[in-house]
DNA sequence: AGTGGTTCAATGGTCCAACCAATTTCTGCA
DNA sequence: TGCAGAAATTGGTTGGACCATTGAACCACT
């Protein structure tokens, strides 16, 4: 008796609201930063209660798709499309040094793969863009005599983009935002990230040579130096200000 | 001169509700599956409106921390802790074949890294557990003359767990749930995953030998066979039923 | 005992009509 | 013209009401 009866489903009101909202955003061609209708107008137009609209928007806000500013309005924070898929991750106990090390292991995995894919797929334009970012970073390194997280981050982002797979940038960007205070912070280590500097160019060289395994190896070396710096930092700092 | 005017403590009401709820869950030692107080009781106890309670719970529901069943109650779906960090990812346009290929690239990155870490960190107990899962999978393969997604998945999960980093399992589990219908589906290819079978044991061998780079290499080979199967499937199927 | 139907209380889902608080816009005076 | 204060706009919160679903208790009939 395995006749699978379809698990009957009546679409929830708030899901319907979001669906309608997706249609509206597409029809109006709204992009990130733009303001969408007020809750009251949405409620009236969609013939649902303002409460229901709010539940729907709360969902989107939780997913980072939208930002609500009291007294001002609700603004799009990212592009929306009908076939979006949501993958909320909650990391238990990721607020300390051990948590940072764990995310760094994820980053190592993705960084290596992205570099390898990039070496395979990057065209002339992408390679030129990466080289440009590399130049900016190296200039900043020389003038300021040290690593600059901003320019460093831009370089890596360029690599992710050239990997041809937007998921890399999305995942690592989320982690980057999450651990901003750690990621950016020297963590008590002087010349934090200094050791990683030369590997940026070696990674670029392997990418430009379309050598995926070489690029992967260099990326692994880079992350290894960051891990070392981090471990030195952990020794220096008790990390009691974990907020 | 107002030296130290308060650092403004007006935490959002719903965040406060969630904070209180975290405290409650910990004090009562509630685990996944258990039921938490009704919205009305929470509203009364916390001295906030039921609507506010609902907004807070909507957030948690969106994050997959909680499940609401009308007429029954609200149930915990995962462990909660005070220092949780949330990383919601929304993947645009990931609902088709190309999207599946992209997630597979992520999986390749994480799978390889997890296998390598596992080879470094797995103790006797973890290795025994992986071997047990491997045995179950191989039995299922023989009796049913083909890959079994269920047992296959259990094997990989055992590897993720033994990696010592829960993030691997979390991320890949989320992707697994998301693409359930694709992941599980033969996609029109007969003997889907057949080619990947032998690599499960070679991965295990490298892990048991504490050979991280060997394990990484075998994991990469495994994913490569899956990608090949997928490409064959794409040729067979027009994938017009993308929902 | 067991099967099926009914009742009823509990619970999440939706709605309404206010009011509060932050923001933006407008207005009128200097 | 410049700018402080009023007014309108908008998200945030409240309290109360009713609906829809669930599950347990109860009951009648076999």
């Amino acid at each position: 008796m395995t006749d699978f009866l379809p698990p009957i489903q009546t679409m929830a009101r708030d899901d319907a609201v979001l669906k309608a909202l997706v249609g509206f955003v597409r029809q109006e061609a709204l992009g990130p930063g733009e303001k969408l209708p007020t809750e009251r107008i949405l409620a009236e137009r969609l013939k649902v209660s303002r409460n229901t609209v709010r539940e729907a928007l709360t969902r989107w806000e939780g997913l980072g798709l939208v930002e609500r500013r009291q007294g001002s309005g609700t603004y799009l924070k990212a592009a929306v499309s009908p076939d979006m898929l949501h993958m909320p991750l909650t990391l238990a106990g990721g607020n300390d040094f051990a948590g940072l090390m764990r995310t760094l292991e994820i980053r190592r995995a993705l960084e290596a793969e992205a570099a390898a894919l990039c070496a395979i797929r990057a065209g002339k334009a992408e390679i030129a863009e990466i080289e440009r970012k590399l130049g900016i970073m190296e200039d900043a390194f020389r003038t300021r005599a040290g690593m600059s997280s901003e320019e460093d981050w831009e370089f890596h982002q360029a690599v992710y983009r050239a990997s041809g797979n937007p998921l890399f940038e999305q995942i690592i960007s989320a982690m980057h935002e999450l651990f901003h205070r750690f990621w950016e912070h020297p963590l008590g280590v002087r010349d934090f990230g200094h050791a990683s500097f030369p590997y940026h160019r070696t990674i670029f060289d392997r990418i430009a040579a379309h050598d995926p395994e070489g690029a992967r190896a260099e990326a692994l070396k880079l992350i290894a130096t960051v891990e070392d710096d981090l471990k030195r930092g952990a020794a220096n700092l008790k990390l009691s200000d974990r907020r």
Side-chain angles (χ1 to χ4, degrees), chain A residues 135-148 151 197:
Chain A
I136 295 176
M137 197 208 76
E138 289 179 336
D139 280 348
F141 183 83
R142 269 187 283 272
T143 57
R144 293 209 287 246
M147 287 299 288
S148 157
E151 284 80 3
F197 175 73

Side-chain angles (χ1 to χ4, degrees), chain A residues 7-57:
Chain A
I8 208 72
Q9 53 175 2
T10 37
M11 180 179 296
R13 302 283 262 205
D14 35 8
D15 276 350
V17 169
L18 289 183
K19 205 169 173 181
L21 212 40
V22 168
F24 175 82
V25 168
R26 284 192 81 71
Q27 189 187 337
E28 300 285 313
L30 295 184
E34 297 200 70
K35 181 176 167 184
L36 40 83
T38 66
E39 298 177 349
R40 288 172 174 86
I41 292 187
L42 285 175
E44 182 196 356
R45 290 279 207 285
L46 299 175
K47 294 292 181 219
V48 297
S49 149
R50 192 180 148 218
N51 240 326
T52 306
V53 172
R54 282 187 58 77
E55 289 239 346
L57 288 179

Side-chain angles (χ1 to χ4, degrees), chain A residues 72-111:
Chain A
S72 175
T74 304
Y75 299 84
L76 232 46
K77 263 177 73 177
V80 301
S81 69
D83 58 352
M84 279 183 303
L85 292 180
H86 306 297
M87 187 170 95
L89 292 177
T90 77
L91 323 178
N95 217 353
D96 53 357
F97 171 75
L100 184 56
M101 284 301 284
R102 287 201 289 268
T103 64
L104 201 54
E105 287 173 0
I106 302 291
R107 186 185 164 190
R108 174 170 55 193
L110 298 178
E111 190 92 30

